[in-house]
Amino acid sequence: MTEDKNLENTEIVDVLPEDAAPAGDAGTDRLAALEAELAAAKQDILYAHADTQNVRRRLEKELADARAYAATAFARDMLSVADNLSRALAAIPAELREDEKFKGLVVGLEATGRELESVFGRNGITKLESVGQPLDPNKHQAMMEVPSDEAEPGTILLEMQAGYMIKDRLLRPAMVSVAKKPE
């Protein structure tokens, strides 16, 4: 009886569907499918790695920009202080500059102006040089055109309000008067 059971098992094993096809084709197909899955998985890993690197680079750049330009809003606010100080110094007549009563005030205001320029410089804020330069719409805001025989058309004749850069970005455009051909 033990032999009959073994024979029956052998017969059953012989009729399984996986044995109906030739053994070489099934193994080859299965191997090809696994290799395709492996190639797809490797490709997915490469894409995920590249995406991770791109995200890391973008975040590093955003962090560097945030550090470099963190003071932008504060610097814009301070520009009005610098403008008012410059106007105050320019409004002092020459005779009052020499008067002993006002000399200390004038010296103090000039020292404050120099210190403000120094602080701007330490923080990467620079004043644009505009007069005599060609108009650059990325740095200058033309407020008016003035006919001129002496300057080429498009040349800045007068700066009404100074422009400033913070590192390599425009903080505030210079408001300027530009030469045009006389009529």
Side-chain angles (χ1 to χ4, degrees), residues 70-173:
T72 299
F74 179 71
R76 278 196 187 105
D77 292 342
M78 290 303 296
L79 290 181
S80 65
V81 174
D83 291 340
N84 289 332
L85 184 60
S86 294
R87 283 187 211 107
L89 283 168
I92 300 172
E95 62 271 1
L96 285 180
R97 287 178 179 267
E98 300 303 320
D99 188 352
E100 288 301 319
K101 293 178 183 175
F102 289 100
K103 198 166 193 163
L105 175 65
V106 172
V107 168
L109 288 174
E110 288 172 343
T112 303
R114 284 191 303 274
E115 180 64 21
L116 189 58
E117 290 289 325
S118 173
V119 169
F120 281 172
R122 286 194 304 265
N123 288 285
I125 300 167
T126 55
K127 191 174 190 178
L128 292 173
E129 295 298 326
S130 299
V131 176
Q133 302 292 319
L135 179 71
D136 181 354
N138 297 314
K139 295 180 181 178
H140 306 117
Q141 183 175 354
M143 301 305 289
M144 62 182 178
E145 290 184 320
V146 176
S148 175
D149 289 329
E150 298 171 9
E152 290 288 319
T155 302
I156 297 171
L157 298 175
L158 176 69
E159 183 179 72
M160 293 171 248
Q161 185 180 48
Y164 287 87
M165 300 284 290
I166 183 166
K167 299 194 182 359
D168 60 344
R169 289 187 185 170
L170 184 67
L171 185 59
R172 180 178 76 185

